[in-house]
Structure formats: structure tokens, C-alpha cells
């Protein structure tokens, strides 16, 4: 998954026919100059391309979605051992990161996400499309999750830690969640949206 924070006001000024190319070029570069090994963390748009987006590459993921999937699997097994307030906040905050638009009904207990899945007809490669108001809601949940994150170490280590594979220890789980918090905080501070694209 390639992740962008974007100025929705700017994107709205571009015709729908051109938006997909605009966003994909921002995420991947031009067809003749795509760099397979993008820098981890933030890459900010330069003056030539305008200041309407920034790209974020999750660290230690090798650009794969697998860590996100496995973090969701770990959370799904751990969440019943977490106090209700923190569980609800992390359910809501992590929904776009871990589960996308599916599996709400299999959560135990089930929940309804505050941030709904958004249809996006102009960019078929989109995995997620979060409007600025969605980002603001996620940031609200992050302010509840962040101080409680260390308390998840014990249930993680007791119930879901595994010796190998993706997200096999609490540190890797907490790092991924914290990086998502960094992205949400940056976008919320600018009043921007978030777009996740398939690699």
C-alpha cells in the first residue's frame, strides 16, 4: 500500500478524468522514472509538483500490506483482553489500517466504524479514501489510543505473540500503530485527507 496525505480542496479542482493519474504519479512517480526503493517515512512534494500532498512509506514493511494484515489479526485475537474504552478507541482508529471495509461483523464484540468506507470512482487502485472529516475523527481516537498503547504490551505478549512472521512481538505492533498515528496527526493538522493506493 502506498499512502498519501492530500489537500482535498486541490484535488477537487482537478477534473475526475485526470485525478487518478495525478494521484498515482504522486505515489509512484512518472512511468519512466519510478524508483523501486522509496525512502521510508515522509517524502514531501517539491515546488514543481505543488504542495498538495506528502507520501508516507511505513517502516520495515518492504512496501507490503502483510504487516497491516497481521497487525489486524493480532488485534482481533487480543482485543477481548483489553479494557472496553481503549478497545473501542483502537477498533475505530485502526479500522482503515487493519481491516479496510470488511470484517466489522466478525469482531467480537461487533462494532460499527465511525469512519465509513468511501467509494472512489475516479481512482480504481484506491484501497482507502478518507475525507478530512474522517481524518479528524481518527485523530480524536488516536488521542485516546496513544496514552493507552503501552498497556497493550501485557495482553499482546500473553495471548498473541508468535516466534516468527510479521508483527510477531509487541514492539512491531506498537510501531505500526504509532506510524498510523503519525500519518493521521499530520493530515489532521493540515485539514487534509488520506489516500491509500495498491502497490
Amino acid at each position: 500500500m502506498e499512502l498519501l496525505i492530500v489537500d482535498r480542496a486541490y484535488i477537487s479542482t482537478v477534473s475526475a478524468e485526470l485525478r487518478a493519474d495525478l494521484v498515482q504519479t504522486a505515489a509512484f512517480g512518472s512511468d519512466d522514472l519510478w524508483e523501486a526503493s522509496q525512502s521510508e517515512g515522509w517524502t514531501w512534494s517539491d515546488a514543481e509538483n505543488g504542495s498538495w500532498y506528502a507520501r508516507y512509506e511505513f517502516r520495515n514493511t518492504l512496501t507490503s500490506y502483510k504487516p497491516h494484515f497481521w497487525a489486524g489479526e493480532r488485534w482481533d485475537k487480543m482485543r477481548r483482553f483489553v479494557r472496553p474504552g481503549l478497545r473501542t478507541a483502537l477498533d475505530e482508529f485502526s479500522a482503515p489500517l487493519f481491516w479496510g471495509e470488511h470484517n466489522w461483523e466478525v469482531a467480537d464484540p461487533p462494532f460499527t466504524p465511525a469512519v465509513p468506507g468511501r467509494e472512489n470512482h475516479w481512482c480504481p487502485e484506491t484501497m482507502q479514501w478518507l475525507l478530512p472529516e474522517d481524518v479528524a475523527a481518527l485523530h480524536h481516537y488516536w488521542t485516546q489510543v496513544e496514552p493507552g498503547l503501552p498497556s497493550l504490551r501485557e495482553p499482546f505478549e500473553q495471548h498473541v505473540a508468535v516466534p516468527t512472521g510479521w508483527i510477531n512481538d509487541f514492539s512491531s505492533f506498537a510501531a505500526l500503530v504509532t506510524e498510523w498515528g503519525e500519518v493521521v496527526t499530520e493530515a489532521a493538522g493540515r485539514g487534509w485527507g488520506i489516500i491509500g493506493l495498491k502497490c
Side-chain angles (χ1 to χ4, degrees):
M1 181 173 66
E2 301 297 327
L3 198 62
L4 299 174
I5 62 171
V6 296
D7 182 349
R8 182 172 181 257
Y10 174 79
I11 289 179
S12 297
T13 67
V14 178
S15 66
E17 300 79 36
L18 300 177
R19 286 180 199 160
D21 286 342
L22 180 78
V23 168
Q24 288 177 341
T25 299
F28 302 108
S30 61
D31 290 340
D32 58 345
L33 194 61
W34 185 75
E35 295 182 15
S37 58
Q38 295 283 353
S39 300
E40 293 181 333
W42 291 106
T43 303
W44 296 92
S45 56
D46 55 32
E48 181 180 342
N49 294 317
S51 58
W52 61 271
Y53 75 92
R55 182 179 179 279
Y56 189 83
E57 181 67 50
F58 283 93
R59 296 170 176 88
N60 303 312
T61 64
L62 305 176
T63 72
S64 173
Y65 186 73
K66 289 180 181 179
H68 305 260
F69 170 81
W70 282 109
E73 290 290 300
R74 306 295 183 234
W75 172 240
D76 191 42
K77 290 179 172 59
M78 176 177 56
R79 60 193 293 277
R80 71 178 68 104
F81 304 106
V82 176
R83 60 181 169 82
L86 180 56
R87 179 178 61 226
T88 298
L90 190 51
D91 276 344
E92 297 287 1
F93 174 70
S94 67
L97 179 68
F98 293 167
W99 290 338
E101 298 178 29
H102 59 283
N103 288 342
W104 312 122
E105 67 278 2
V106 301
D108 181 25
F111 75 102
T112 301
V115 175
R118 304 274 184 189
E119 288 191 25
N120 182 357
H121 301 292
W122 53 264
C123 193
E125 296 302 309
T126 300
M127 290 181 70
Q128 60 180 234
W129 169 231
L130 303 174
L131 301 177
E133 54 266 34
D134 299 331
V135 175
L138 291 175
H139 186 256
H140 166 75
Y141 289 113
W142 173 236
T143 64
Q144 299 172 39
V145 169
E146 185 177 22
L149 196 56
S151 71
L152 300 180
R153 178 180 293 277
E154 183 177 349
F156 190 102
E157 291 179 348
Q158 285 186 356
H159 302 287
V160 301
V162 294
T164 60
W166 294 101
I167 312 297
N168 60 343
D169 58 23
F170 177 73
S171 295
S172 59
F173 177 84
L176 192 68
V177 172
T178 300
E179 285 188 77
W180 180 232
E182 182 181 345
V183 171
V184 167
T185 298
E186 187 66 43
R190 294 169 177 267
W192 285 8
I194 297 175
I195 298 177
L197 293 167
K198 300 173 185 175
C199 291

